[in-house]
Amino acid sequence: RKEVEQDPGPFNVPEGATVAFNCTYSNSASQSFFWYRQDCRKEPKLLMSVYSSGNEDGRFTAQLNRASQYISLLIRDSKLSDSATYLCVSFSSNDYKLSFGAGTTVTVRA
Amino acid sequence: ETGVTQSPTHLIKTRGQQVTLRCSSQSGHNTVSWYQQALGQGPQFIFQYYREEENGRGNFPPRFSGLQFPNYSSELNVNALELDDSALYLCASSSGTSFQETQYFGPGTRLLVL
């Protein structure tokens, strides 16, 4: 079983719509979580860190549910520029394990 | 641009050969992490270097080794290349080892093993 699992999508949404997707993690010792975005054939870039129960950054909201071991990302008012693959990451300092999911692809259409 | 550079951008090798990939970290960053990203997959953590020492390692065999230099640039060496080593190799620099600090990724080196 993979450490971090994501729905690969693709999620095809119109501009202005709201899209949300989850990732699940198997390591209960994980303390830190992140969302990265990766454009086609480009390097990953940090979108947001997820601490405590979650946080919000503009149109992006991340939530953490430790009991069910999942993290969600919600994008409001989608823009064409939001089209990318979103990578979910967990980190456990106990065993120094950093794990990326395979990514969820989002395509925003005009 | 992140300020993290990698070389070469592309490389073709044959099975059994050895390869060295290079990474220059962003100014002020003392930590470099290396990742392997196969097509359609997320990056897999290979190892991290902090102040010229290996600080953590993922599930990769010993034929994957690395170095970090006093200027914090880093090398990834892979011996006895296998076909499955074909991937995008990414390095990321940061100002600390805990992964709480933002990691800035370079553009990657695409390695093809024939």
Side-chain angles (χ1 to χ4, degrees):
Chain A
R1 187 187 169 189
K2 290 185 181 176
E3 295 272 347
V4 176
E5 304 235 29
Q6 295 186 247
D7 180 346
F11 288 76
N12 294 308
V13 299
E15 261 186 304
T18 295
V19 61
F21 41 90
N22 293 341
C23 100
T24 58
Y25 61 96
S26 60
N27 186 352
S28 59
S30 295
Q31 306 113 325
S32 304
F33 305 91
F34 311 91
W35 283 104
Y36 278 77
R37 70 169 279 165
Q38 186 171 27
D39 295 309
C40 189
R41 301 185 73 80
K42 296 280 193 177
E43 69 273 19
K45 291 182 181 175
L46 180 67
L47 179 66
M48 57 198 307
S49 304
V50 188
Y51 302 116
S52 186
S53 60
N55 47 294
E56 188 174 313
D57 182 2
R59 298 182 294 107
F60 298 85
T61 301
Q63 299 241 310
L64 169 63
N65 185 316
R66 288 191 186 274
S68 302
Q69 293 187 204
Y70 76 82
I71 311 113
S72 64
L73 181 66
L74 182 145
I75 308 173
R76 284 184 300 277
D77 188 22
S78 298
K79 311 289 184 194
L80 296 176
S81 58
D82 294 333
S83 298
T85 296
Y86 291 84
L87 301 165
C88 175
V89 187
S90 73
F91 174 64
S92 165
S93 60
N94 294 3
D95 49 8
Y96 215 84
K97 211 162 193 179
L98 180 76
S99 302
F100 278 75
T104 296
T105 298
V106 173
T107 302
V108 182
R109 62 182 188 275
Chain B
E1 297 298 325
T2 63
V4 180
T5 60
Q6 291 186 244
S7 63
T9 55
H10 297 82
L11 202 51
I12 300 175
K13 291 284 189 177
T14 55
R15 267 186 311 176
Q17 285 189 310
Q18 179 265 343
V19 70
T20 297
L21 310 182
R22 295 176 177 84
C23 171
S24 291
S25 58
Q26 190 173 94
S27 177
H29 286 179
N30 56 18
T31 303
V32 173
S33 302
W34 285 93
Y35 299 85
Q36 179 195 68
Q37 187 173 23
L39 201 59
Q41 301 297 315
Q44 300 298 307
F45 175 63
I46 303 174
F47 43 54
Q48 182 186 75
Y49 275 83
Y50 171 67
R51 293 189 175 180
E52 302 177 58
E53 298 280 336
E54 186 180 295
N55 186 59
R57 189 177 184 95
N59 190 27
F60 279 80
R63 60 188 183 85
F64 285 78
S65 63
L67 282 173
Q68 188 178 34
F69 301 98
N71 66 354
Y72 303 128
S73 65
S74 178
E75 283 182 358
L76 164 66
N77 299 292
V78 188
N79 292 325
L81 284 167
E82 300 176 0
L83 297 180
D84 284 349
D85 295 334
S86 297
L88 176 67
Y89 288 84
L90 295 158
C91 76
S93 78
S94 60
S95 58
T97 61
S98 71
F99 295 107
Q100 307 284 4
E101 297 82 10
T102 301
Q103 291 195 87
Y104 295 89
F105 283 83
T109 294
R110 293 191 184 276
L111 173 64
L112 176 61
V113 182
L114 301 175

